[in-house]
Amino acid sequence: MKLGMKEHVDVAAGVQDEIAIAFEANAVAFYAQISGLAKDKIGYPIRELATNAWDASRGHFKIFLPTPLNPQFRVRDFGPGMSAETMKNVYARLYASTKRESNNEVGGWGLGSKSPYAYLISDTGSGSYTVTSYHGGMARTYVLSLSASGSPTMRLLVEAPSDEPTGLDVSFPVRREDIHEFHNRARTILWSFNPRPEIEPAINWKEPVVLGQGENWIRYKAGTVPFEGPRVRMGCVMYPFDLRQIKTTGFLDHSDCVLFDAPIGSLKVTLSREELAYDDNTKATLSRLVNEYEQNFISQVQAAVDTATDLIGAVEQFEEQTNSLGVTRVESLRGIVKWQGRFLSPTVPQMNCKTMMLAKNWAVFDKFENATVRTTWAKDAKIVIEHNPSYSLARFNMAQLVGEKILWLRCKRAFREEVLEALGNPEVIELDTFKVPASKRTKSKTVRRRKVFAVTEGGGIVASNEDVEMADGGLYVERVSGGYSRRYRSSSEYFRVATGKGGIQLASFRDIVETAYELGLVEAGTTIVVKNADHADLGEGWTMLGDDLIPDLQAKIDMRVFHGLHQKSMSDMESYIRSLATMDAEIFQRAPEDLLVFKTDLNTLAATLRANSTDDTPSDKAHAALTRLGVNVDLPAVRCPIAEIEQRYEQLCRKYALLKLIVQPSPYYSSTRDEERKMAAHLQAYFDLLHAEQQLTQQRAAEARAQMAFNDNQNDVDEDVDLDEAA
């Protein structure tokens, strides 16, 4: 592996003597470079010898772990082996390596072949290890140990012809108390090798659970791999890395079991190769890998979500892809990953609807209970929508849905499309289409005779007395005492329509219902129960009509409708301004510039007013209904263009004294065609006078400028004459 060592600036100018800094080759230096360097005395030689074998034969090697019967660690690769010269000049030397010319091999420091010393040197002394090189038809066996002075030595023991496959065979003895730890460390270190060597006795790794993978990364389920947190593999060696060393978005967590693959040479490691050295290039590589992982992961989640046919399926895919990320990161992804532009809410949207889940194998229910439903609960559920809650259980029976897993939606028919749109338009079952025959409707103990108002086609209301199933719930109003009028008996009826509001007359009540019908907030056939003061509370499931309508009416108001010209017409403009608006533009051809601009703006305003509609918009109707309900709506403060144009007219009248006298001749002025023709003629004559005055003023100004120029020229001539005479 190329070590990326940079050339350094040599400062030599002006020196008097040069002394090279040299390495003292002694026992102290050797101990510091080998045994003192390594933190993990057992893992260090396992990793280094296995990496050298992987470099030499790309997985075609064997590892023999120590056992009680044969307590030695041995690595046999089937690479090219080493010649006697290479063994002498490379293997026997610290920092000598043949791997620095390319990034095809992981090593390069020239220390890995001496790594057994880190284990063999102990407080009680040191041991030796054996290296056999099979190369060129010869087998050469060497023993590496420490001399009496503590310096490392390599001695050739045997040299003989051999027909063994080429390669190196390295072995060293293991203390019996360390055998178990050698197996544990080998299990962790060799897991990342790809391909893995042949190991005796064999290591039985559990099959890892892959949660996701992409280019240069694999994400595993925690507990199924022999590591925790993010790791980066370069070649065959896996390193942990500290996320605090690099800039990230925070998406990758320190607990995520993600294995990244980095190109050989893209990471700098410490001298012992046990840890990463966080130089600029290493940080840049890690940042790139983490950023690519995040983008790739999000793209995979989005692709999975896009396969869904409805919102519930999309949320299911999203949560399946992100179930191991934790709440914080999942919520942040909800702002990024969407399905057809929709937010992937963990709960079923309750936009203008109520929701309830019926679990598999249900048989009966007491009543509809509105509750928050997690979207994943609705997986594989049949979606049932209901607009008129009446005899629901009987209709479920008719639809043969009893016992099925049901997502039950209740909404007004006017909001049906909106509710289904929020869910991605899934297939639904319309419960209202199943009509329960009158003969099968049983009168329960909760049926009461009550006065009701039924909404008719067109939005009217018709009063009648009917049997009401109180357990079904619905809409109601409360009768309150009011004034009495012999002439208008109906107006003496007052109804409280919303909680906390006063009573309103029947006529206002009718207007509110008619508006709600026109806006699609109630439908024909809806019944509204009248509760008298002596009636007991109706119970759960009953809502006052106004409480049900107020939020829907507020949602219908578009504040943009209430602009400065809303429902304004030409009649809202003063008559004399209207006269100017209808006047031919040719009359203003010789008018001053500011009057021309005024006329242009007035014509534009008049065209807008003529095209303006004075009909009530849905916002107007909703605002009027809310006002009848006693709900205050703060309308936007707007400027009125009509008032502005009238103000500009007054300013022009102060500038042009005759303008107001011509346009407003007397307080008894009546606009007739003859009078308008006279006004036009007078205005044109006035504009001609103003134009002539302007022309005269401009002419006088031009003459004054010419005179000044002549005077200046004459002065120049006189000065020239004086100069000539003086010369």
Side-chain angles (χ1 to χ4, degrees):
M1 178 181 74
K2 294 181 179 180
L3 298 182
M5 306 301 289
K6 301 183 183 299
E7 294 184 1
H8 301 281
V9 177
D10 184 10
V11 180
V15 300
Q16 299 183 22
D17 191 13
E18 181 176 304
I19 302 171
I21 303 298
F23 287 93
E24 179 71 24
N26 55 38
V28 174
F30 178 74
Y31 177 83
Q33 296 298 310
I34 299 298
S35 185
L37 187 70
K39 299 177 183 178
D40 184 357
K41 308 299 185 184
I42 293 176
Y44 182 46
I46 293 175
R47 183 186 63 254
E48 293 304 304
L49 296 181
T51 300
N52 284 343
W54 189 86
D55 279 339
S57 55
R58 277 298 185 271
H60 186 208
F61 66 101
K62 294 181 180 181
I63 289 182
F64 301 87
L65 297 176
T67 65
L69 295 178
N70 185 20
Q72 71 169 352
F73 179 78
R74 178 183 166 211
V75 178
R76 170 67 160 102
D77 72 60
F78 299 95
M82 290 188 178
S83 65
E85 183 179 356
T86 304
M87 289 294 296
K88 177 181 178 181
N89 296 324
V90 177
Y91 205 93
R93 293 191 178 187
L94 293 177
Y95 300 110
S97 176
T98 60
K99 303 178 182 180
R100 296 173 187 161
E101 300 304 318
S102 72
N103 284 323
N104 295 325
E105 297 171 301
V106 180
W109 283 118
L111 297 177
S113 60
K114 293 79 179 174
S115 60
Y117 280 118
Y119 175 75
L120 294 172
I121 299 174
S122 66
D123 294 338
T124 59
S126 66
S128 62
Y129 66 101
T130 303
V131 179
T132 300
S133 175
Y134 299 97
H135 178 81
M138 298 293 291
R140 299 178 182 87
T141 300
Y142 302 84
V143 174
L144 285 86
S145 61
L146 296 183
S147 65
S149 63
S151 298
T153 60
M154 185 176 77
R155 299 181 177 92
L156 177 63
L157 289 184
V158 177
E159 182 177 21
S162 174
D163 57 359
E164 284 283 318
T166 60
L168 287 185
D169 191 322
V170 184
S171 63
F172 61 87
V174 173
R175 293 181 285 275
R176 290 186 179 275
E177 62 269 21
D178 294 332
I179 290 176
H180 181 69
E181 187 59 24
F182 263 83
H183 283 253
N184 286 340
R185 298 298 293 124
R187 174 182 294 274
T188 301
I189 293 170
L190 299 177
W191 182 89
S192 63
F193 279 58
N194 184 23
R196 289 174 183 157
E198 182 182 339
I199 305 172
E200 295 182 13
I203 296 177
N204 295 318
W205 284 286
K206 66 168 66 173
E207 189 67 25
V209 177
V210 177
L211 298 178
Q213 64 185 95
E215 187 175 359
N216 298 322
W217 64 269
I218 304 177
R219 182 164 154 263
Y220 297 100
K221 182 178 180 181
T224 67
V225 289
F227 64 88
E228 295 179 357
R231 294 289 189 273
V232 59
R233 178 170 55 191
M234 185 169 65
C236 59
V237 183
M238 180 173 65
Y239 299 96
F241 65 91
D242 187 354
L243 285 172
R244 294 172 298 181
Q245 296 287 342
I246 60 176
K247 293 181 180 180
T248 69
T249 63
F251 179 77
L252 180 65
D253 190 74
H254 65 87
S255 63
D256 291 340
C257 294
V258 181
L259 177 61
F260 296 93
D261 276 303
I264 296 175
S266 64
L267 303 175
K268 183 69 70 66
V269 296
T270 59
L271 194 58
S272 66
R273 296 209 308 173
E274 293 176 295
E275 299 173 326
L276 294 177
Y278 293 96
D279 66 342
D280 292 342
N281 187 59
T282 299
K283 291 180 180 180
T285 298
L286 294 175
S287 295
R288 176 180 57 78
L289 289 173
V290 171
N291 183 64
E292 288 175 355
Y293 160 73
E294 177 178 345
Q295 299 303 320
N296 198 208
F297 182 87
I298 293 173
S299 297
Q300 289 185 6
V301 175
Q302 184 66 67
V305 166
D306 289 342
T307 62
T309 57
D310 55 46
L311 184 63
I312 292 174
V315 174
E316 177 192 346
Q317 288 286 349
F318 175 82
E319 297 200 355
E320 183 178 318
Q321 295 287 325
T322 60
N323 60 4
S324 63
L325 292 184
V327 175
T328 302
R329 284 186 291 171
V330 169
E331 291 307 310
S332 67
L333 279 182
R334 290 188 196 278
I336 300 173
V337 179
K338 291 182 171 58
W339 179 77
Q340 296 185 2
R342 294 173 176 83
F343 178 71
L344 298 175
S345 171
T347 59
V348 174
Q350 290 184 295
M351 185 184 301
N352 294 319
C353 75
K354 299 176 181 179
T355 58
M356 178 179 174
M357 276 298 299
L358 296 175
K360 188 76 173 175
N361 299 321
W362 66 275
V364 294
F365 54 82
D366 293 332
K367 59 184 178 180
F368 183 94
E369 296 182 1
N370 184 37
T372 300
V373 176
R374 286 199 64 85
T375 312
T376 49
W377 297 350
K379 176 185 176 182
D380 302 327
K382 294 183 177 179
I383 303 176
V384 172
I385 190 166
E386 183 179 39
H387 310 299
N388 184 22
S390 179
Y391 299 97
S392 299
L393 181 57
R395 292 192 288 182
F396 270 111
N397 272 294
M398 294 178 65
Q400 298 181 344
L401 294 173
V402 174
E404 297 287 343
K405 184 179 180 181
I406 300 294
L407 171 60
W408 190 359
L409 308 176
R410 271 190 178 178
C411 70
K412 297 175 183 178
R413 192 175 297 278
F415 295 123
R416 178 187 183 279
E417 300 303 323
E418 183 180 338
V419 170
L420 296 183
E421 170 68 19
L423 288 172
N425 296 311
E427 293 185 6
V428 296
I429 299 171
E430 299 273 358
L431 202 60
D432 297 62
T433 59
F434 298 92
K435 305 296 184 183
V436 180
S439 59
K440 294 187 177 182
R441 299 182 185 181
T442 57
K443 188 172 182 179
S444 68
K445 294 181 180 180
T446 57
V447 172
R448 299 287 185 270
R449 192 76 173 174
R450 291 286 185 263
K451 178 177 180 177
V452 300
F453 289 105
V455 180
T456 65
E457 294 289 345
I461 53 175
V462 175
S464 64
N465 292 309
E466 294 182 5
D467 290 336
V468 177
E469 175 57 76
M470 306 306 293
D472 278 349
L475 300 173
Y476 77 98
V477 294
E478 185 176 0
R479 192 199 305 269
V480 295
S481 59
Y484 177 75
S485 169
R486 290 186 178 181
R487 183 174 180 182
Y488 303 107
R489 290 183 180 274
S490 61
S491 64
S492 64
E493 287 192 285
Y494 281 75
F495 300 92
R496 180 177 291 109
V497 183
T499 304
K501 304 297 181 182
I504 60 174
Q505 293 183 348
L506 179 60
S508 295
F509 174 33
R510 290 180 184 276
D511 291 339
I512 291 170
V513 174
E514 183 178 359
T515 298
Y517 177 84
E518 290 180 11
L519 297 179
L521 304 181
V522 296
E523 55 189 21
T526 300
T527 56
I528 304 165
V529 171
V530 178
K531 177 182 178 295
N532 292 333
D534 58 345
H535 289 160
D537 289 338
L538 299 180
E540 294 183 6
W542 288 91
T543 306
M544 291 200 86
L545 175 67
D547 296 345
D548 189 65
L549 291 178
I550 286 171
D552 298 335
L553 288 169
Q554 290 172 330
K556 291 289 184 181
I557 292 181
D558 183 358
M559 291 298 180
R560 295 172 299 178
V561 167
F562 299 99
H563 50 73
L565 294 179
H566 179 55
Q567 292 188 319
K568 297 287 179 65
S569 65
M570 288 291 289
S571 60
D572 292 284
M573 190 183 291
E574 291 289 351
S575 59
Y576 49 86
I577 301 289
R578 290 201 303 271
S579 298
L580 289 175
T582 57
M583 203 167 287
D584 195 332
E586 292 183 359
I587 296 172
F588 285 75
Q589 282 184 352
R590 306 191 74 177
E593 182 66 24
D594 50 359
L595 280 169
L596 281 173
V597 173
F598 173 78
K599 172 60 174 173
T600 301
D601 294 343
L602 178 59
N603 288 348
T604 302
L605 176 60
T608 301
L609 290 172
R610 293 188 188 101
N612 213 17
S613 173
T614 57
D615 295 335
D616 284 340
T617 64
S619 290
D620 296 321
K621 295 175 181 178
H623 179 256
L626 287 169
T627 302
R628 293 187 180 96
L629 286 167
V631 178
N632 182 46
V633 179
D634 293 329
L635 297 180
V638 295
R639 61 181 180 84
C640 180
I642 296 176
E644 287 186 353
I645 207 78
E646 291 174 350
Q647 184 179 3
R648 286 174 60 187
Y649 168 75
E650 292 296 332
Q651 293 172 349
L652 290 171
C653 286
R654 287 193 290 272
K655 183 176 181 180
Y656 303 105
L658 296 180
L659 180 62
K660 194 167 188 176
L661 292 175
I662 296 171
V663 177
Q664 299 170 251
S666 72
Y668 308 105
Y669 167 74
S670 59
S671 179
T672 64
R673 290 190 177 277
D674 289 339
E675 294 295 334
E676 288 178 357
R677 281 194 291 270
K678 289 180 182 179
M679 181 196 301
H682 292 161
L683 270 180
Q684 192 163 20
Y686 182 43
F687 293 155
D688 288 342
L689 288 173
L690 290 174
H691 181 71
E693 181 184 14
Q694 182 183 21
Q695 293 291 102
L696 180 60
T697 301
Q698 291 175 352
Q699 181 179 352
R700 288 175 177 174
E703 290 174 352
R705 288 194 298 273
Q707 184 62 46
M708 289 178 63
F710 174 79
N711 293 338
D712 291 342
N713 185 52
Q714 188 62 43
N715 290 335
D716 291 342
V717 171
D718 293 342
E719 289 178 0
D720 291 342
V721 171
D722 293 340
L723 290 173
D724 290 341
E725 292 176 352

